[in-house]
Amino acid sequence: MKKASIRKMMGRAAAVVLAAASMAVLPAGDILPALEVRADEAVPGCVRSVYTNEWIPAEQSTVRPIAVMMPTDKTAQPSYGISNADILYEIMEEGEISRQMAVISNWTSLSKIGNIRSCRAYYIPEATEWDPILIHFGGVFYMKDRITAADINNISGTNQYGVGGGAPGAGAFFRTSDRKAPHNAYINASGIINACTDLGYSLNIREGFYNAKHFTFAAGVNTLEQYGPAAATANAIDLSHVFTYTKSSFVYNPEDGLYYKSIHGKPQTDGLNGQQLKFANVIVQNTKWCRLDDKGYLYFQNIDNTEDGYYFTKGKCIHVTWQKAGDYTPTIYYDDFGNEIQLNEGKTYIAVAQTGRPVVFN
């Protein structure tokens, strides 16, 4: 196993080594060789997705995404609709259990979404950069000022910051009898649409909030070969030290070029279709953090320009740094040469990791 710690000091040291290795194999006078570009014809009536760079119907591109809080608890699996996530975030919460936020752009036909759990304050800056309708089942009092702000459009099954604030759109949720609370709360597309109508939320992307540019996608297939030996082999990614409860992990499948996700030692699947979650891009985003109180509630410094992490794609990995300037500003990832990384077409998983917790890959 190749062990790569994303501790600050070790990450910086690794960056120097990786950069030096890459520069040794680059042609004189070049910073990085250009990626191979493939011919690509536009699809009539379609545009490129901001989220995945896939061709989608033009009318779909104007619909606001939803950002849904989903659990990783073993007894709560599988989640429904999670395989539709264009972007899936996983972040630790109190009690050494992580939680997920699924950003879904093509949601208007989903019959069952969830189960749905509460939100935490540090998910909000990650959500707002996509300007979604945030769907959660309550929260914590550290969210109070932000979740009730006028710019936030959220639907909550109970008091939106835990101890108060009301429950906007609570009537849209339903419970099932196959699981015990709190693991049996769900919503569907029609419920979201009705709640948004009642609450006066726009179902279309909001000018002034929405960013038409997030990731930079490769014009062809980015194999990371342009980084030479600085691109390490990464056919398996072990996040068990980052997420100690779920032990989230990925295995690369060279046949389709995707990383297949597992939790609790088993494939993570979608209850709607039985499919295992798979991603073209996996990002580990090292983030400053601290405990806020004796209950173990956490703080993550989502807005920063000094931290690092890793980008995995096509069975390879490079070291990256990241920057996020504000709530509605996209997080930008850079390679060790200062160039914005170029993602491959498809879905992206982002682990917002606590600084000091190692990632293992080989």
Side-chain angles (χ1 to χ4, degrees), residues 1-2 72 82-83 85-91 98-101 233-243 246-254 256-269 275-285 310-317 346-353 358-362:
M1 274 276 184
K2 177 181 178 69
T72 63
I82 193 170
S83 65
D86 301 296
I87 318 295
L88 182 67
Y89 291 88
E90 186 172 357
I91 312 179
S98 61
R99 189 147 292 179
Q100 303 164 119
M101 183 175 70
T233 298
N235 291 314
I237 308 168
D238 178 4
L239 301 183
S240 62
H241 298 289
V242 177
F243 303 120
T246 62
K247 295 179 171 54
S248 294
S249 64
F250 297 82
V251 174
Y252 178 64
N253 182 352
D256 60 11
L258 302 177
Y259 282 96
Y260 285 61
K261 188 173 189 295
S262 293
I263 58 174
H264 305 295
K266 297 179 179 180
Q268 184 174 2
T269 60
Q275 295 180 1
Q276 186 174 1
L277 306 191
K278 44 190 179 290
F279 300 88
N281 310 288
V282 174
I283 295 172
V284 176
Q285 182 178 317
Y310 293 98
Y311 171 50
F312 300 88
T313 194
K314 302 301 179 186
K316 294 288 186 178
C317 169
K347 301 174 186 293
T348 298
Y349 167 90
I350 301 174
V352 176
V359 177
V360 177
F361 58 92
N362 73 314

Side-chain angles (χ1 to χ4, degrees), residues 3-225:
K3 187 172 182 179
S5 170
I6 55 172
R7 291 190 180 93
K8 179 76 170 180
M9 183 170 64
M10 294 180 69
R12 296 303 183 202
V16 173
V17 173
L18 294 177
S22 285
M23 291 300 289
V25 299
L26 294 178
D30 287 348
I31 295 177
L32 276 178
L35 292 172
E36 181 181 350
V37 178
R38 61 176 171 80
D40 195 4
E41 296 182 0
V43 178
C46 293
V47 297
R48 290 285 190 179
S49 167
V50 168
Y51 312 93
T52 67
N53 204 41
E54 297 166 322
W55 289 108
I56 61 172
E59 58 269 22
Q60 183 185 318
S61 69
T62 66
V63 178
R64 286 177 77 185
I66 57 174
V68 189
M69 298 305 306
M70 295 184 177
T72 63
D73 304 60
K74 192 172 185 178
T75 57
Q77 302 307 309
S79 293
Y80 288 73
I82 193 170
S83 65
N84 289 79
D86 301 296
I87 318 295
L88 182 67
Y89 291 88
E90 186 172 357
I91 312 179
M92 189 65 79
E93 61 174 24
E94 67 280 1
E96 285 293 296
I97 297 177
S98 61
R99 189 147 292 179
Q100 303 164 119
M101 183 175 70
V103 179
I104 306 172
S105 64
N106 186 14
W107 56 269
T108 55
S109 63
L110 292 178
S111 60
K112 188 177 183 182
I113 306 168
N115 51 16
I116 298 170
R117 294 297 304 275
S118 57
C119 190
R120 298 294 180 268
Y122 43 82
Y123 275 101
I124 298 176
E126 305 296 353
T128 49
E129 68 177 73
W130 303 100
D131 186 32
I133 302 157
L134 178 59
I135 299 173
H136 59 113
F137 214 90
V140 296
F141 62 92
Y142 291 110
M143 295 165 49
K144 178 179 179 180
D145 292 338
R146 195 68 190 95
I147 198 68
T148 57
D151 61 297
I152 300 295
N153 286 174
N154 67 305
I155 301 172
S156 179
T158 187
N159 282 329
Q160 57 186 328
Y161 54 86
V163 296
F173 295 85
F174 61 91
R175 290 193 182 272
T176 61
S177 59
D178 58 333
R179 294 174 179 165
K180 295 181 179 179
H183 301 311
N184 62 350
Y186 300 88
I187 201 168
N188 56 31
S190 61
I192 295 170
I193 293 169
N194 291 336
C196 288
T197 300
D198 292 342
L199 294 165
Y201 297 163
S202 174
L203 289 169
N204 293 322
I205 56 177
R206 299 186 299 175
E207 189 174 350
F209 294 96
Y210 173 76
N211 279 284
K213 166 66 172 66
H214 280 268
F215 301 133
T216 292
F217 290 98
V221 177
N222 186 1
T223 64
L224 300 184
E225 291 179 357

Side-chain angles (χ1 to χ4, degrees), residues 329-349:
T329 304
T331 304
I332 308 297
Y333 303 91
Y334 299 92
D335 64 21
D336 288 334
F337 303 96
N339 303 309
E340 188 176 345
I341 65 172
Q342 298 186 28
L343 272 63
N344 278 306
E345 180 179 302
K347 301 174 186 293
T348 298
Y349 167 90

